[in-house]
Amino acid sequence: MWWRFRRHRLAVVSAIILIGLYAVVLCPDFFSTQDPEATDARLAFIPVQRVRLFDGWALRPWVPGIVGKRNPVTLRIEWRLDADRRVPVRFFVTGHPYRLLGVVPLRLHLLGTAPDAGTSVHLLGTDRLGRDQWSRLTHGTRTSMTIGLTAVILSVVFGIVLGGISGYVGGMPDLIIQRVIELLQSLPTIPIWLALTAALPRDWSPQQVFFAITVILSLVGWTTLGREVRGRFLALREEDYVLAAELAGASRRRIIGRHMVPNFLSHIIATSTLAIPAMIINETSLSFLGLGIRPPAISWGVLLQEAQNIQSLALAPWLLIPGLAVILAVLAFNLVGDGLRDAADPYGS
């Protein structure tokens, strides 16, 4: 599978991108430059400070300085980049404290300004409350990518278990499971998500909302895989090797787990990989509408809520950058899914 997968160049590049995204998921504080919850209204709508690697011919990363001037009409401070003021950027600097993987206390960050610089760097600008967008994007990546992966894992478990029981056992369990699948598939998806998420108590903690959104997405998303698993089990249970396993005294659990599921594992892998971006988009959509993850929790959808205000968007178009992160992640998952599907196909070339 690996030999065939690595021939798919786009899939390999996409896999590297996903590995980088999940490295951010494991420790977003290390990749952030500031505390994502730190606010300072005086620093609102600072533009993007793009990193320049070379200072002349020397490899010395820097960002242009920021100059603010109050508009006499709107009384709003307007910021502009000043390339004459070069703020040096350093790697592996000391910054705000955090806990690595929630356990090890650290202050080390991948990127930041020198301690004596007297200023901070905003790689993706700031929002209307002066919060650093780059730091918030790293923490939003953890939430959105984790919800997509967790919801798909739960959906796969539900689909394989319930679909396997339906297809292999048959009878009354098959009838009940199929009627449940038909009921869930007949319901309009978006209104159901809106109704279920709106029913969540407003006083729940971000962790409780996170768990509830994950369960909701997985409960709605397992039906397609469950029906596909049932169809494959109906065909596989008539195969000779399944009959031989039954005659040898193997239990139903062993027959399903050791003989039938591995037979179409490639389909499960491809389906799961292609389902993750759909879960990410669903969570982002719900959070964008204010019905999913809610502040102070951070996700890509929560970050895109700032782009709902046309006035804010006109002043700070960089607030749409989290949308590019969603597009990048969805494309990467789709390409990796295509590569895995081709690599795991036993009848492919």
Side-chain angles (χ1 to χ4, degrees):
M1 284 178 61
W2 165 244
W3 178 76
R4 296 168 65 180
F5 178 79
R6 66 182 182 182
R7 292 192 300 173
H8 197 305
R9 302 296 184 185
L10 284 177
V12 173
V13 173
S14 300
I16 295 173
I17 293 175
L18 292 179
I19 291 173
L21 288 175
Y22 277 106
V24 176
V25 168
L26 291 176
C27 188
D29 291 285
F30 172 72
F31 293 94
S32 64
T33 57
Q34 300 176 38
D35 184 353
E37 297 296 338
T39 62
D40 190 346
R42 297 172 299 176
L43 302 178
F45 298 137
I46 289 180
V48 174
Q49 293 177 278
R50 186 169 60 88
V51 177
R52 276 77 165 179
L53 295 178
F54 293 93
D55 186 0
W57 292 99
L59 181 60
R60 284 195 297 265
W62 60 278
V63 296
I66 299 294
V67 177
K69 183 178 180 181
R70 188 174 297 277
N71 189 311
V73 178
T74 63
L75 300 181
R76 182 186 295 112
I77 296 182
E78 297 178 348
W79 302 93
R80 65 177 181 84
L81 299 177
D82 185 5
D84 295 331
R85 290 181 53 204
R86 300 188 174 186
V87 179
V89 175
R90 301 289 182 266
F91 292 98
F92 303 106
V93 299
T94 302
H96 67 276
Y98 64 94
R99 288 185 176 273
L100 179 65
L101 301 177
V103 178
V104 183
L106 286 177
R107 297 179 62 95
L108 183 67
H109 297 268
L110 176 64
L111 193 70
T113 56
D116 57 349
T119 185
S120 56
V121 58
H122 302 284
L123 300 178
L124 297 181
T126 61
D127 61 8
R128 58 186 175 85
L129 297 179
R131 296 173 296 191
D132 183 64
Q133 279 291 94
W134 169 259
S135 301
R136 291 177 61 78
L137 181 63
T138 58
H139 285 75
T141 300
R142 175 177 61 182
T143 302
S144 295
M145 297 289 286
T146 304
I147 281 185
L149 183 62
T150 307
V152 166
I153 290 175
L154 292 177
S155 297
V156 169
V157 172
F158 290 149
I160 292 177
V161 172
L162 296 178
I165 293 174
S166 178
Y168 184 70
V169 177
M172 185 58 66
D174 180 31
L175 181 64
I176 295 175
I177 292 174
Q178 291 308 305
R179 298 297 81 78
V180 172
I181 290 177
E182 291 171 359
L183 176 63
L184 291 176
Q185 289 185 337
S186 65
L187 298 174
T189 305
I190 294 180
I192 291 300
W193 281 331
L194 296 180
L196 292 175
T197 53
L200 298 179
R202 305 296 295 184
D203 57 347
W204 274 16
S205 66
Q207 291 78 13
Q208 291 173 312
V209 175
F210 177 93
F211 178 77
I213 294 296
T214 303
V215 172
I216 290 171
L217 294 176
S218 59
L219 287 177
V220 178
W222 69 271
T223 55
T224 301
L225 180 61
R227 179 151 285 180
E228 293 173 352
V229 170
R230 175 183 179 270
R232 292 300 300 267
F233 273 35
L234 287 174
L236 292 176
R237 71 181 184 180
E238 306 298 333
E239 296 289 337
D240 293 340
Y241 66 89
V242 175
L243 179 59
E246 292 175 350
L247 294 176
S251 63
R252 288 180 174 178
R253 180 184 303 177
R254 180 177 179 84
I255 292 173
I256 293 175
R258 294 294 301 272
H259 300 286
M260 300 180 75
V261 171
N263 190 271
F264 62 103
L265 187 61
S266 61
H267 177 77
I268 294 175
I269 293 175
T271 302
S272 304
T273 308
L274 295 173
I276 293 177
M279 294 293 184
I280 292 175
I281 291 177
N282 293 334
E283 180 278 324
T284 302
S285 302
L286 292 175
S287 300
F288 176 76
L289 295 174
L291 297 171
I293 303 296
R294 298 189 290 263
I298 307 172
S299 72
W300 287 340
V302 172
L303 295 177
L304 286 173
Q305 277 186 323
E306 296 289 334
Q308 287 182 339
N309 189 326
I310 300 300
Q311 182 180 5
S312 298
L313 189 60
L315 295 172
W318 52 86
L319 296 178
L320 285 174
I321 291 178
L324 298 179
V326 176
I327 295 173
L328 179 64
V330 169
L331 285 176
F333 271 116
N334 285 331
L335 291 172
V336 169
D338 289 339
L340 287 175
R341 179 188 59 199
D342 296 339
D345 184 7
Y347 303 104
S349 58

